[in-house]
């Protein structure tokens, strides 16, 4: 098995239908610490009927600003075309207006929030149970925690100064800059790990307008690739790699702003604010993989069945990569405008959207709405990020700032 496209297929047989009886599946898996994508190990699952079972080692990258919702988690799931009829309200962490990021780390669910309140600051929260969130703080006091991920066994987070007008919300009076990355130590302290892109950024004292300010005030997209930690700055250009202590090295795309990072077939991908997708080649150069559909902002990506899918703005398209610079447009999702985070959960992809805050399930028959999670009387509502925790699909919203969860089949 080459780790990319090798597969052993066994024809269907009555002996492979356990019914309601117990059964066991065994496999030896060799995976080095630096292997970024493992994927399906063994399955007997029909995605069209959503019946069967599957076992996999999953990493969830490309989750908008998060961008790594979990890494190298062993999942075993089964389904018989079953899901709960309603989503469970997991609560609103603090005074959140947006769940900017979610990640499952060491068996715990963490959420990073944006607070619109005048004196509010975004926080890192750890869930202790439904409607029970523990405040882990924000050492910078800025309005958002944009990114969360696990790296070398520890929780890392990226702080940010979010421009809420992009979501048709009033501006926040908390204008403290973010842009730094922190690591949570065993004693609960946040260790400063530096500022990606801060060395030659536009100075904080320089007045700016709009989004492309050139300031390194949002640290987003924390993603582990080949045992190195990468990040970008939402309002300035480039990709950066963590070198330890407080040092970050630029690794390319100095003229492009990013929306997210994704790992696909042992390569790091950059999803661009402008629509294109770039791949980091073994040479260290970035290769243009073209533009998915009509995208002008490619927000998220996931890998499903060994293939790359992306979600975009302004026509809410999900596109499949065909190779070279070619993409297949799989169509617009309803009347939505933007597709954001995508997550492979219990054998099928799920996507969040704007302006209706829908959650969509993707299967061979197309796309189905499985939830509408924010009913605030505002023009734009987002299901921004998704995560798997305790076998349930979790989703975070704007402007309600709540976390919701749904059982779909059974997943461990």
């Amino acid at each position: 098995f080459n780790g990319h496209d090798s597969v052993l297929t066994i024809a269907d047989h009555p002996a492979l239908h356990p019914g309601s009886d117990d059964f066991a599946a065994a496999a030896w898996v060799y995976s080095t610490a630096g292997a970024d994508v493992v994927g399906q190990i063994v399955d007997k699952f029909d995605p069209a009927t959503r019946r069967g079972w599957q076992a996999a080692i999953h990493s969830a990258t490309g989750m908008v600003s998060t961008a790594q919702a979990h890494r190298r988690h062993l999942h075993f799931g089964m389904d018989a075309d079953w899901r709960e009829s309603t989503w469970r309200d997991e609560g609103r962490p603090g005074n959140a207006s947006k769940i900017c990021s979610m990640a499952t780390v060491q068996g715990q669910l963490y959420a990073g929030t944006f607070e619109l309140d005048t004196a509010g600051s975004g926080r890192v929260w750890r869930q202790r149970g439904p409607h029970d969130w523990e405040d882990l703080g924000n050492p910078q006091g800025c309005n958002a925690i944009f990114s969360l991920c696990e790296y070398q066994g520890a929780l890392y987070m990226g702080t940010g100064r979010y421009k809420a007008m992009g979501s048709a919300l009033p501006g926040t009076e908390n204008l403290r800059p973010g842009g730094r990355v922190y690591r949570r130590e065993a004693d609960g302290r946040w260790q400063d790990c530096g500022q990606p892109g801060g060395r030659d950024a536009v100075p904080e004292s320089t007045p700016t307008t709009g989004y492309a300010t050139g300031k390194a005030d949002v640290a987003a997209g924390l993603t582990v690739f080949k045992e190195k930690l990468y990040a970008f700055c939402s309002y300035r250009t480039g990709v950066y790699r963590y070198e330890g202590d407080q040092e970050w090295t630029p690794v390319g795309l100095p003229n492009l702003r990013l929306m997210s990072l994704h790992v696909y077939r042992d390569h790091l991908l950059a999803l661009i604010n402008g629509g294109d997708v770039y791949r980091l080649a073994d040479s260290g150069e970035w290769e243009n993989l073209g533009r998915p559909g009509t995208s002008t902002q490619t927000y998220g990506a996931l890998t499903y069945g060994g293939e790359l899918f992306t979600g975009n703005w302004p026509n809410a398209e999900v596109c499949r990569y065909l190779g070279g610079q070619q993409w297949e447009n799989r169509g617009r999702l309803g009347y939505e405008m933007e597709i954001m985070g995508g997550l492979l959960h219990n054998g099928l992809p799920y996507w969040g959207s704007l302006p209706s805050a829908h959650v969509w399930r993707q299967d061979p028959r197309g796309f189905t709405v499985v939830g509408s999670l924010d009913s605030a009387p505002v023009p734009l509502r987002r299901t921004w990020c998704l995560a798997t925790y305790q076998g349930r699909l979790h989703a975070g919203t704007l402007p309600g700032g709540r976390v919701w969860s749904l059982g779909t089949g059974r997943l461990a």
Side-chain angles (χ1 to χ4, degrees):
F1 290 90
N2 61 19
H4 292 281
D5 53 14
S6 297
V7 62
L8 179 63
T9 302
I10 302 173
D12 191 24
H13 188 276
L16 299 177
H17 299 176
S20 59
D21 296 333
D22 292 343
F23 69 96
W28 284 100
V29 179
Y30 175 75
S31 175
T32 62
D36 293 293
V37 179
V38 180
Q40 296 296 104
I41 299 171
V42 58
D43 72 65
K44 181 173 172 48
F45 182 73
D46 182 350
T49 62
R50 300 186 296 283
R51 294 180 180 274
W53 57 272
Q54 43 86 29
I57 298 176
H58 276 307
S59 292
T61 58
M63 180 59 66
V64 286
S65 61
T66 291
Q68 183 177 284
H70 60 258
R71 182 170 186 261
R72 295 172 60 81
H73 284 193
L74 177 62
H75 288 177
F76 175 81
M78 58 180 63
D79 202 351
D81 190 18
W82 175 89
R83 65 178 172 89
E84 293 174 340
S85 59
T86 59
W87 288 71
R88 186 172 79 191
D89 184 1
E90 301 288 348
R92 182 189 185 196
N95 295 316
S97 298
K98 177 183 181 181
I99 307 299
C100 296
S101 51
M102 286 195 296
T104 305
V105 178
Q106 301 292 319
Q108 301 287 325
L109 179 65
Y110 296 87
T113 63
F114 159 71
E115 292 198 4
L116 187 61
D117 291 352
T118 299
S121 66
R123 320 290 284 181
V124 178
W125 300 85
R126 178 168 55 196
Q127 189 180 38
R128 293 182 294 203
H131 295 269
D132 186 3
W133 294 85
E134 178 186 6
D135 184 358
L136 302 184
N138 173 356
Q140 274 197 279
C142 51
N143 66 23
I145 304 297
F146 251 69
S147 188
L148 295 167
C149 86
E150 180 180 6
Y151 177 53
Q152 296 182 342
L155 174 68
Y156 282 69
M157 63 100 156
T159 63
R161 176 169 53 192
Y162 181 52
K163 296 178 180 293
M165 69 273 199
S167 295
L169 294 175
T172 173
E173 293 186 25
N174 180 356
L175 299 179
R176 296 186 188 95
R180 303 192 76 84
V181 174
Y182 293 85
R183 178 181 64 246
R184 184 169 170 81
E185 304 289 14
D187 61 4
R189 292 182 300 109
W190 288 105
Q191 177 64 45
D192 188 352
C193 297
Q195 184 180 19
R199 186 168 299 167
D200 59 348
V202 172
E204 175 60 22
S205 59
T206 302
T208 58
T209 58
Y211 297 102
T213 64
K215 293 185 177 182
D217 56 358
V218 174
L222 292 172
T223 301
V224 179
F225 173 66
K226 296 190 182 300
E227 292 306 298
K228 293 288 188 178
L229 182 63
Y230 291 78
F232 61 88
C233 311
S234 292
Y235 303 138
R236 69 155 299 178
T237 58
V239 184
Y240 302 88
R241 184 179 63 225
Y242 183 50
E243 306 295 355
D245 194 21
Q246 296 187 6
E247 293 298 317
W248 292 82
T249 299
V251 293
L253 303 180
N255 299 312
L256 295 172
R257 288 173 54 215
L258 277 68
M259 305 299 295
S260 192
L261 292 168
H262 182 59
V263 178
Y264 176 66
R265 294 188 181 272
D266 289 332
H267 286 90
L268 184 65
L269 305 186
L271 314 182
I272 301 301
N273 188 335
D276 289 2
V277 176
Y278 281 76
R279 176 175 60 199
L280 181 59
D282 295 336
S283 65
E285 299 296 318
W286 290 86
E287 304 168 336
N288 190 329
L289 302 186
R291 179 170 300 187
T294 62
S295 177
T296 59
Q297 291 179 314
T298 301
Y299 269 85
L302 58 77
T303 302
Y304 171 51
E307 297 185 300
L308 172 65
F309 292 83
T310 62
N312 68 35
W313 160 277
N315 293 312
E317 298 159 341
V318 171
C319 297
R320 180 172 70 100
Y321 181 56
L322 301 178
Q325 294 189 344
Q326 301 302 308
W327 295 81
E328 176 192 27
N329 191 332
R330 302 300 291 268
R332 183 173 186 171
L333 275 59
Y335 296 99
E336 298 296 87
M337 301 170 63
E338 182 176 285
I339 302 300
M340 289 159 295
L343 180 74
L344 186 63
H345 175 82
N346 203 10
L348 290 172
Y350 291 82
W351 301 90
S353 68
L354 168 149
S356 303
H358 288 337
V359 178
W360 301 78
R361 184 188 64 229
Q362 178 182 348
D363 62 40
R365 294 175 292 189
F367 298 89
T368 303
V369 176
V370 296
S372 184
L373 302 184
D374 203 312
S375 58
V378 296
L380 300 181
R381 303 180 299 278
R382 299 178 185 266
T383 295
W384 178 256
C385 56
L386 305 171
T388 295
Y389 175 58
Q390 293 186 342
R392 300 175 65 83
L393 175 64
H394 285 65
T397 67
L398 172 147
R402 307 190 77 85
V403 177
W404 301 83
S405 76
L406 182 72
T408 60
R410 290 289 185 260
L411 180 67

